[in-house]
Each structure stands twice: as structure tokens, then as C-alpha cells.
Amino acid sequence: MIVATTTVNFAYLTGVWVESYERFKAAVRCGERIAVVVPALDAGRLGGEVYAYRDGEDPALVLRDAARGCPQEVVYVDGGTTLRHFEIIKRAFPHAEFRLADDLLREMRAVKREEEVERIRTAVAKIREVLEAVELSPGVTEREVAFRIYGALYNAGLQPGPILAQFGANTAVPHQEPTDKRLQVGEAVVLDVAASYRGYFGDLTNSFFYGDAPPQYAELLEIVREAQQAALRSAAPGVAAREVDAAARRVIEAGGYGRYFIHRTGHGLGLEIHEAPDISPGSGEVLRPGMVFTIEPGIYLQGRYGARLEIDVVVREKGVEIL
């Protein structure tokens, strides 16, 4: 039996995002059966087997009712469960052995149903439209550009996630958040945008030069593009995720920039921006149909500029498809 209390795993099992704050909530799964325990004020948002409790009532008793008929010798609990909520679970199942559910849930969520893939595809398409419509001008700040992108995503029906608008030397810091730096002609630009559609994230990054690019930047960006294509060609069902990373890394190393590729090649996408599979040198995962992940190699020359290109792909039976 799995008892999932974190908002994201609850949403995965039920299809409904419920933020109950300090109040206890849980999705209980045993076999194909799913029951939910929620505060009474959230009960109307869910269908199926719903077990509600009012403020002042003990949710442990309701959880015990929700799990009636389920094997309770071993209870798997997701690792993000707060200590306060774990105490409720322990009261509900005083004789159980508790184990982490993270590997089980990670395995479930790593392979997407087609409905999930289509939500990610919609998110990606709308993000791409927003990025293509971004207009830059000398003097605009990173914060202003990020704010415009946020509004455009929201108006497009997405829930904006992290938005990175970086100019000049800031592009050499992969996770540099927007600042008050103003754009000047002759600077590198990185726009990294994540947003979700009906709970599922897309994540795209564009890099370019505002003005005439110096030869080294043009070379660097072309190497990043070739690395991305190499990773894309290597990806297929049955391929180790680390081999996809290695394919991109070989191109960048051959170009003389290996020491400047300082992060993994990609990460999984779904209900969270970063989830399975992990496309990194140390990954032990093997690609399977239905997995969705980013391919985003980058090169970063500190104090000067950096470039990253990011696409999102889904593994199919015979290869991968760009979303």
C-alpha cells in the first residue's frame, strides 16, 4: 500500500492538485484502487472514494477507514511527507513497517501516458510561441523581459514556472535569475522558460547574440547545436541515459570546450520540472517508451558569455520525437 501526501504525488495519483497547507491529505493506493483523505473543505474537488474530515477531527481515523481492506503490514510513504503528517500515518497503522515510496512513485511517473505527453506537448508549443514573439531593445532589463514572458505565458493559458532572462556575462551562469542588468547591443542572450499546461511542464531554452556575434561565440553556439543533435540521434528505447549525455559531451570535448560544459545534458519532465529520467554521466536509468526529457547541452565562459539550447523529447517505440 502506498500513502502519498505530497501535493505532486497526490496529483499524480488523483489527477487533482490540492494544496491543503498544514492540513493532512493523502492518496492511498493498493492494487488498482485509489482512495483519498482530504479536509472537508476540499472534498468537493475530488471524485471516486473520498474520505473527508472536518477541523478538529482526527485524520488518522479517516485514513484508517480509507485503507480498509488494503494490506497494511508494509506501508510505503513518499519521502516528502512532513514529520507532522507522518505521525498521523503512524497512528493510523500502528503495527505497520514503513518504507520509502519514492522509487515506486518515480518509476510510475517516469513513463508517461499519452494524455500526459499531450499536455507536455501543448505546454511546449505555447512556450515556443511566446519565445518566438519576444521583442528585445537596448536598455531593457532582464527583469522586464522575464515579466513580459510571464504575462504572455499566463495569457496563453499556462502556469508559468521559472523564467531566466540573461544578458551578457550573466549568460555564463546557468541558473542566474533575472536582474536589473540592461541589454546592450553586442551581448549574448539566454532565455530559459518553463511553464505547465494542466499540471505538466515544458521547458525550452534559446541562446543567441544581440547584434553581430564574435567568431568565438558563433563557434561555441554551433558546437552546442551539434552536441544537442548528437544526443538526439543517440536516444532510443533501451539506450542508457548516460550514453545520451556522453554523446553530447563528446562533441563539446572535441570542440575544446569540455571543461565548460558544467551540468548534465537533460532531465525528465512531467508534473515537476525536474523528474525522472536523469540524463547525466552518473545515471543508471535506461530509456523506455513514454519517457519525456530535455536535451540541453551548454558551454559557459565565465565573465564573458554562455550558450544553452534546450528541446523536449518523448521516447517512442523506434526512437524519439521532438515535442
Side-chain angles (χ1 to χ4, degrees), residues 90-152:
K90 289 198 296 183
R91 289 207 311 275
F93 312 113
H95 305 296
E97 175 188 346
F98 296 101
R99 299 179 185 173
L100 279 176
D102 292 14
D103 288 344
L104 295 174
L105 290 164
R106 177 185 172 90
E107 186 76 6
M108 291 179 196
R109 288 171 50 186
V111 175
K112 270 61 181 179
R113 303 180 299 272
E114 196 59 31
E115 175 190 355
E116 296 175 288
V117 173
E118 289 307 309
R119 292 188 188 185
I120 297 171
R121 187 193 306 277
T122 299
V124 171
K126 290 178 179 289
I127 293 169
R128 187 176 291 117
E129 290 175 2
V130 168
L131 281 171
E132 289 174 352
V134 171
E135 295 184 0
L136 300 177
S137 59
V140 69
T141 70
E142 293 174 337
R143 292 185 195 276
E144 288 169 341
V145 172
F147 181 74
R148 293 175 190 172
I149 291 173
Y150 185 101

Side-chain angles (χ1 to χ4, degrees), residues 25-109:
K25 70 173 182 298
V28 178
R29 174 169 177 162
C30 56
E32 296 302 312
R33 176 188 169 222
I34 295 178
V36 296
V37 175
V38 290
L41 74 169
D42 292 313
R45 302 174 57 192
L46 295 132
E49 285 191 58
V50 180
Y51 295 79
Y53 66 93
R54 297 183 179 183
D55 289 344
E57 296 178 341
D58 186 358
L61 300 178
V62 182
L63 176 59
R64 191 177 301 160
D65 286 342
R68 200 175 301 279
C70 296
Q72 299 177 15
E73 293 80 9
V74 178
V75 177
Y76 288 85
V77 182
D78 50 354
T81 299
T82 65
L83 183 58
R84 177 191 300 131
H85 290 170
F86 185 51
E87 290 298 326
I88 292 171
I89 296 170
K90 289 198 296 183
R91 289 207 311 275
F93 312 113
H95 305 296
E97 175 188 346
F98 296 101
R99 299 179 185 173
L100 279 176
D102 292 14
D103 288 344
L104 295 174
L105 290 164
R106 177 185 172 90
E107 186 76 6
M108 291 179 196
R109 288 171 50 186

